[in-house]
Amino acid sequence: SRFVTNALTLKSLGITTVDVEAVYYCKPIKRTLVFYLPIPGQTLRTVLQDQTCCDDVMKRFAAFFAELHNKGVFFRSIHLNNVIVSEDLNSLGLIDMADMKVVQGQLSLQMRKRNFKHLTRYKVDQKALLSFGLEDFMDIYFSESDLPVAQKNELTLLLKTLTGAGGQV
């Protein structure tokens, strides 16, 4: 039921996600079963394997990540395999959203930091960020946010630390 609620919440915020078709309860295993239509496209991690479109897609992802934070979405399962890129490479959506929280207004700096930690959990995703450029990623992220410059510096340093690109813990 949390999956369904989160899907509806994301849709109400204008964020692309799966379309829930039906919900059933299976008594023998005491589980709720959700049938949904997937988002057409491929995972961001898969799309980034094609070197010809990496920069454009990563620019969209940086803006999308900021949009999530601006709308109060704390997506604990954020990694590049849970972001779907549309077939035309112009829009992004979220899958596997059972573990997320939406707060009123924007995410706090602390919640943003925690979400950046979730984003950099996997080495393959760290490599994608490093390949694109951390400063470029953060420039786009901050152009879509209205956070003070001091927070940009703090988040950039955190991202560098999390990806092994330097900085201090």
Side-chain angles (χ1 to χ4, degrees):
S1 62
R2 187 172 52 221
F3 182 95
V4 174
T5 300
N6 289 343
L8 293 172
T9 300
L10 287 174
K11 287 203 175 280
S12 75
L13 293 170
I15 297 166
T16 302
T17 191
V18 301
D19 288 316
V20 174
E21 291 287 301
V23 180
Y24 302 99
Y25 186 75
C26 183
K27 287 182 183 180
I29 61 171
K30 298 179 183 174
R31 298 271 189 228
T32 301
L33 307 173
V34 180
F35 289 88
Y36 59 87
L37 296 176
I39 303 170
Q42 296 182 349
T43 69
L44 178 54
R45 195 178 288 160
T46 300
V47 169
L48 292 175
Q49 292 173 358
D50 177 1
Q51 298 298 318
T52 61
C53 64
C54 287
D55 283 355
D56 288 340
V57 174
M58 281 302 283
K59 287 175 186 174
R60 281 187 184 80
F61 175 64
F64 180 70
F65 197 49
E67 177 188 4
L68 293 175
H69 291 173
N70 293 341
K71 291 181 175 181
V73 177
F74 179 72
F75 186 60
R76 288 180 186 91
S77 297
I78 189 72
H79 57 74
L80 303 187
N81 256 3
N82 281 342
V83 177
I84 301 296
V85 181
S86 64
E87 293 169 4
D88 65 3
L89 305 178
N90 286 324
S91 63
L92 303 174
L94 294 178
I95 60 171
D96 194 17
M97 65 277 168
D99 194 12
M100 77 173 218
K101 178 180 181 178
V102 178
V103 299
Q104 192 79 7
Q106 296 187 17
L107 291 187
S108 67
L109 179 62
Q110 283 310 111
M111 290 184 84
R112 289 173 192 253
K113 285 180 175 182
R114 284 181 53 205
N115 220 198
F116 271 96
K117 288 178 183 176
H118 290 286
L119 176 62
T120 57
R121 219 177 355 217
Y122 299 105
K123 290 284 184 197
V124 64
D125 296 345
Q126 291 177 18
K127 287 179 183 178
L129 288 164
L130 287 166
S131 178
F132 176 70
L134 301 180
E135 296 284 344
D136 292 336
F137 186 87
M138 294 308 291
D139 285 345
I140 295 163
Y141 178 89
F142 271 88
S143 73
E144 299 296 321
S145 303
D146 59 354
L147 297 173
V149 174
Q151 289 184 358
K152 177 182 180 184
N153 295 337
E154 193 171 341
L155 283 173
T156 301
L157 180 60
L158 174 66
L159 188 57
K160 287 179 179 180
T161 300
L162 294 169
T163 58
Q168 300 171 340
V169 179

